[in-house]
Amino acid sequence: MSKKMITALLASVQLAGLALAGPAHVAGAARPWLNRRLSAGERAALAVRAMTQREKLQLVFGYFGSVMSGTQYVVPRGARMGSAGYVPGVPRLGIPAQWESDAGLGVATQRASTDAYRERTALPSGLATAASWDPGLAERGGAMIGAEARASGFNVLLGPGADLVREVRGGRDFEYASEDPLLTGVMAGAEIRGIQSEHVIAVLKHFAFNDQETGRTVYDARIGRTAARESDLLGFELAIEQGHPGALMCAYNRTRGHYNCQNRWLLRTVLDGDWGYRGYVMSDWGAVHSTVRSALAGLDQESATIFDPHPYYGAALVRALKDGRVPQRVLDEMAERILRSMFAVGLVDHPIKPGAHIDFAADRAVAEADEQQGIVLLKNAGEVLPLARTVRRIAVIGGYADRGVIDGGGSSTVFPVGGNAVRGLGPKDFPGPEVYLPSAPLGAMMGQAPQARFRYASGRNLAHAVRVAKWADRVVVFVTQWAAESRDVSLSLGAQNALVSAVAQANPHTVVVIESGGPVLMPWLGQVAGVLETWFPGSGGGTAIARVLFGAVDPSGHLPVSFPASPGQLPFRQVPGSGLPSGTPFTVDYSREGAAAGYKWYQVRGFKPLFPFGFGLSYTRFAYRGLGAALEHGRLVVHFTVRNVGRRTGAAVAQVYVGAPAGRWAAPRRLAGWRRVILAPGAARTVSVTVDPRLLAVFDTAHQRWVRTPGTYTLWLGDSSAHLPRSVHIRLPAWQHPARWPVHADAHH
Ligand code: BGC
């Protein structure tokens, strides 16, 4: 805010009868920034004006909130032990501290904590929630973890993640949403709204192109500007518009040659300039490389400075301000952005009162509902599922299904209520341990089928597993793949593949339940009758899985990522940088796929994936009719009718894809929208989808605008990116729009 505007604002506040005071005297009504009638921007500008230089510097300098074994690091007294971060407040001005906790799936505890872990509720993984294609669900999940964060003493939650799943072996894909920018933006935006409804700042991360873990602190993501704007950056753009996150976290890696946290193009040109983002940018833990460059590029807050080689925003920033390399107005703006978000999200007006009661049963029900909708039925030969309640003998094999469901590792690890159900697995140190949430599928299945006899085999002894499988009428075999921050994963389930094959050979009525961070290869697919992808199923996971297996809930999840048939189908046969000595810089060259990430890549290459993006079976069937498209007030609106032609109630996820005239885009088709429709048997509904004009355009970097070529566009309708039985053409006129997208009046507050 300019000096002139502040003077005018101060005058108007004085006129409104509010006394003003300088930095030395700010008591009671003398703190106009506490006036809730003013906008967040106005309040931030007033508060900054009342701040001393020291107080401003304090706002941009973060502390780690946990002990660091093997170091002399002393956690500041105000921090919440075992947390990711802490930024002291300015009590004399009524500005609270920022207490930061990971992450997008629930309230985590830092692994290095010497204190007891916080036991909290874990949502299913980001991919699971996205597989529901239900933003309402994501919002409810966000509100649940936001409330747990608040009750745990945190007012900043370091999530959700919105990087595109370009690399299906990515160790953190489970924290992200999908390979498509629209699905990602909508789901992440909804989660942000949920978190912030609890007056907790959501931090959208990791900005940007942190699409793999291998060499994450050193690699350089190479991608053209246009392709970047139409892919990963579009996901972030939509998430910001729909969620208005208080903060963004810049990622460890470089993009187009520059570290993200000092990347002028990412932070100034795109985020600040084109998108008009008004919140603040915080660094990832140890992602800062400079003082002056970072400050000038738009990094507002250095997180947990102990992770950086120098405290760049400490004494070095003071010196840079003194000698003018960082102008004073830059520091003022940094402080103002942080404060604006604190006011906008409600951190100042709704102070945290740690120790509030958490209704864990209610929160677990939220996680369970999420998982129920996120489970994807991939195969159901001979209608082996749902398991009839009359089945007499059921074998449950493997995956610690007698104890719990697996969860992802790293900073986002939520330590579950009731403790880790399987101890001693995975690395002792970060990103371990492997955590199993104590929601056992076996017990829940027994609850669903009281008439049946159950036998469990751990799967470690193949001969025993085969005997149990032979005894049973139906076999459910669980396989797990642990994934974690800081390392990427293999697509192979390893020795578990032999277990599945042996069991399937012993009993053809075998159903495989996969708990994984992302796609896996299924060499046994032809041998088994059924397959469920359940992702990392979250705190209510066991119950959700059992309910889907027995048909208490119809499976309605659809894949938010393509499952490759082999690594040869991926843009990179091996994760780039694999095998390089740690710390060796390298390039991840996205120029071949460009904006054609995920299903778009498969379409360009003519590859048939194992399972395509958008795919998911149901216990019922749906038919799509009456596809029509029209321009209404300049917006493309698509109408169609969905009918449930099966015998059970279920939810269809009707997907609309669009293609440009004469294949002018990076890929033949883009997801343009969808509707999730719940229908009773025989029921039908006519619905419409309004297409975001950017999805019909290309980004013109020379003129910083979206441009649509005139011509005949094709719209397809179906239930996956590869099954689109209906299509229609529409002629669209030329259209263009500046990069700055008009957002809601209170956008960015
Ligand atoms: C992760 C972030 C996380 C931070 C704090 C980093 O290693 O990349 O996602 O928020 O640690 O724990």
Side-chain angles (χ1 to χ4, degrees):
M1 194 172 282
S2 73
K3 268 211 174 114
K4 222 166 127 190
M5 285 161 78
I6 295 181
T7 316
L9 180 61
L10 288 171
S12 73
V13 171
Q14 272 169 327
L15 278 178
L18 291 160
L20 273 181
H25 175 70
V26 279
R31 299 193 283 189
W33 51 87
L34 298 185
N35 177 0
R36 294 181 187 207
R37 287 194 309 262
L38 300 179
S39 74
E42 291 167 337
R43 296 173 73 179
L46 289 167
V48 169
R49 204 184 143 101
M51 277 183 159
T52 63
Q53 185 77 338
R54 216 191 147 103
E55 287 163 347
K56 292 174 197 168
L57 286 162
Q58 188 180 300
L59 268 189
V60 304
F61 188 91
Y63 294 88
F64 188 43
S66 196
V67 290
M68 285 183 90
S69 41
T71 72
Q72 303 290 310
Y73 178 67
V74 181
V75 183
R77 254 200 297 160
R80 310 272 190 238
M81 280 307 290
S83 72
Y86 169 65
V87 180
V90 189
R92 80 176 183 97
L93 303 181
I95 308 296
Q98 291 159 67
W99 289 285
E100 302 166 337
S101 174
D102 287 299
L105 307 176
V107 179
T109 305
Q110 285 286 324
R111 180 70 184 84
S113 170
T114 45
D115 277 15
Y117 296 129
R118 283 179 192 84
E119 296 192 346
R120 296 292 180 266
T121 310
L123 285 172
S125 62
L127 288 176
T129 304
S132 74
W133 298 58
D134 182 350
L137 201 65
E139 193 166 338
R140 283 194 289 285
M144 183 275 279
I145 63 173
E148 286 203 3
R150 161 164 280 277
S152 312
F154 297 107
N155 52 14
V156 179
L157 201 49
L158 304 171
D163 298 80
L164 284 198
V165 178
R166 275 182 185 267
E167 174 48 76
V168 285
R169 292 156 295 199
R172 299 187 89 172
D173 288 350
F174 74 91
E175 295 185 56
Y176 301 152
S178 85
E179 66 190 24
D180 179 80
L182 177 64
L183 183 57
T184 293
V186 168
M187 299 307 283
E191 181 173 347
I192 294 164
R193 286 198 301 277
I195 293 170
Q196 296 196 159
S197 69
E198 291 293 328
H199 308 296
V200 169
I201 286 178
V203 182
L204 186 62
K205 67 187 187 184
H206 305 92
F207 191 62
F209 300 99
N210 188 173
D211 299 341
Q212 64 171 54
E213 293 301 285
T214 304
R216 66 173 170 162
T217 57
V218 289
Y219 75 75
D220 180 16
R222 290 295 168 104
I223 185 164
R225 286 201 170 99
T226 299
R229 295 299 298 260
E230 294 172 7
S231 58
D232 297 52
L233 294 184
L234 183 57
F236 278 100
E237 181 177 5
L238 295 170
I240 291 171
E241 271 168 35
Q242 302 199 11
H244 308 305
L248 242 74
M249 185 190 290
C250 49
Y252 289 120
N253 56 287
R254 302 174 208 236
T255 299
R256 295 175 56 85
H258 303 285
Y259 280 115
N260 285 356
C261 291
Q262 57 187 42
N263 192 315
R264 286 191 74 92
W265 176 66
L266 277 180
L267 302 183
R268 285 272 181 238
T269 309
V270 176
L271 182 63
D272 198 17
D274 287 353
W275 299 347
Y277 180 63
R278 311 279 294 281
Y280 63 104
V281 176
M282 68 164 74
S283 67
D284 201 341
W285 275 227
V288 187
H289 296 270
S290 62
T291 299
V292 178
R293 275 189 74 173
S294 300
L296 299 184
L299 173 68
D300 300 305
Q301 193 177 63
E302 182 184 12
S303 306
T305 48
I306 188 77
F307 281 74
D308 291 320
H310 305 284
Y312 291 107
Y313 278 13
L317 181 57
V318 175
R319 281 196 299 278
L321 284 158
K322 274 205 179 116
D323 63 25
R325 281 172 300 143
V326 173
Q328 180 61 37
R329 70 168 165 74
V330 172
L331 176 66
D332 289 355
E333 205 185 294
M334 287 153 69
E336 198 173 314
R337 280 173 173 272
I338 296 166
L339 289 168
R340 179 199 300 273
S341 289
M342 293 177 76
F343 285 116
V345 179
L347 272 60
V348 182
D349 300 337
H350 304 271
I352 291 283
K353 292 188 199 80
H357 172 72
I358 300 176
D359 183 345
F360 286 114
D363 289 357
R364 187 185 146 113
V366 172
E368 187 184 313
D370 192 333
E371 173 66 2
Q372 279 181 16
Q373 282 187 213
I375 291 173
V376 184
L377 177 61
L378 293 174
K379 180 171 182 181
N380 195 14
E383 301 200 346
V384 65
L385 293 176
L387 295 173
R389 280 168 212 271
T390 49
V391 175
R392 306 294 282 274
R393 288 181 301 212
I394 301 176
V396 175
I397 297 173
Y400 297 99
D402 57 333
R403 292 201 244 168
V405 288
I406 198 167
D407 208 6
S411 57
S412 69
T413 305
V414 177
F415 290 88
V417 182
N420 188 353
V422 186
R423 296 189 188 215
L425 298 180
K428 280 213 172 57
D429 296 319
F430 184 89
E434 278 184 32
V435 169
Y436 278 73
L437 309 171
S439 174
L442 176 60
M445 288 170 71
M446 289 170 148
Q448 288 288 320
Q451 86 295 338
R453 283 176 61 204
F454 282 82
R455 271 200 201 165
Y456 178 73
S458 72
R460 280 188 290 280
N461 178 334
L462 217 58
H464 177 238
V466 165
R467 272 201 308 279
V468 171
K470 282 191 172 146
W471 160 85
D473 302 320
R474 294 285 182 275
V475 183
V476 183
V477 53
F478 287 77
V479 290
T480 60
Q481 173 219 48
W482 187 61
E485 177 181 348
S486 81
R487 44 165 77 183
D488 293 316
V489 293
S490 157
L491 294 175
S492 168
L493 289 165
Q496 296 175 98
N497 285 329
L499 172 68
V500 175
S501 288
V503 163
Q505 220 163 15
N507 190 327
H509 307 294
T510 290
V511 173
V512 182
V513 175
I514 306 170
E515 297 170 18
S516 67
V520 293
L521 299 174
M522 303 178 202
W524 32 257
L525 186 60
Q527 298 170 265
V528 303
V531 181
L532 283 180
E533 173 56 75
T534 69
W535 318 103
F536 291 149
S539 285
T543 316
I545 291 169
R547 287 173 62 80
V548 168
L549 282 170
F550 286 92
V553 171
D554 183 61
S556 61
H558 286 250
L559 294 179
V561 281
S562 310
F563 277 43
S566 73
Q569 293 186 331
L570 300 172
F572 303 105
R573 184 173 272 277
Q574 269 201 328
V575 177
S578 303
L580 284 181
S582 130
T584 314
F586 62 95
T587 294
V588 181
D589 186 1
Y590 291 128
S591 59
R592 269 193 317 155
E593 47 181 323
Y599 62 94
K600 296 168 183 161
W601 168 259
Y602 288 80
Q603 287 169 3
V604 169
R605 292 283 160 144
F607 292 151
K608 192 172 177 301
L610 190 63
F611 294 105
F613 173 83
F615 178 78
L617 300 170
S618 156
Y619 296 151
T620 188
R621 284 177 304 115
F622 300 98
Y624 300 93
R625 298 258 181 285
L627 175 63
L631 266 189
E632 294 175 14
H633 312 291
R635 289 277 169 126
L636 177 61
V637 182
V638 184
H639 307 267
F640 53 88
T641 302
V642 192
R643 181 181 298 278
N644 183 342
V645 292
R647 291 191 304 268
R648 306 169 63 101
T649 295
V653 176
Q655 301 157 43
V656 175
Y657 293 80
V658 62
R664 277 169 182 271
W665 292 341
R669 284 192 281 280
R670 297 172 173 174
L671 178 69
W674 70 89
R675 284 299 296 267
R676 188 173 185 279
V677 191
I678 301 172
L679 292 169
R685 240 176 89 193
T686 299
V687 292
S688 66
V689 166
T690 303
V691 183
D692 188 302
R694 284 166 290 190
L695 294 168
L696 302 164
V698 289
F699 192 76
D700 168 7
T701 37
H703 302 96
Q704 298 291 100
R705 61 182 181 186
W706 293 97
V707 177
R708 183 175 72 207
T709 23
T712 302
Y713 287 73
T714 311
L715 292 154
W716 291 271
L717 173 67
D719 55 11
S720 89
S721 60
H723 182 245
L724 298 164
R726 309 272 156 198
S727 68
V728 73
H729 298 294
I730 184 166
R731 267 198 76 77
L732 296 176
W735 168 95
Q736 62 184 48
H737 195 283
R740 175 77 67 94
W741 202 250
V743 270
H744 210 253
D746 66 352
H748 313 316
H749 328 285

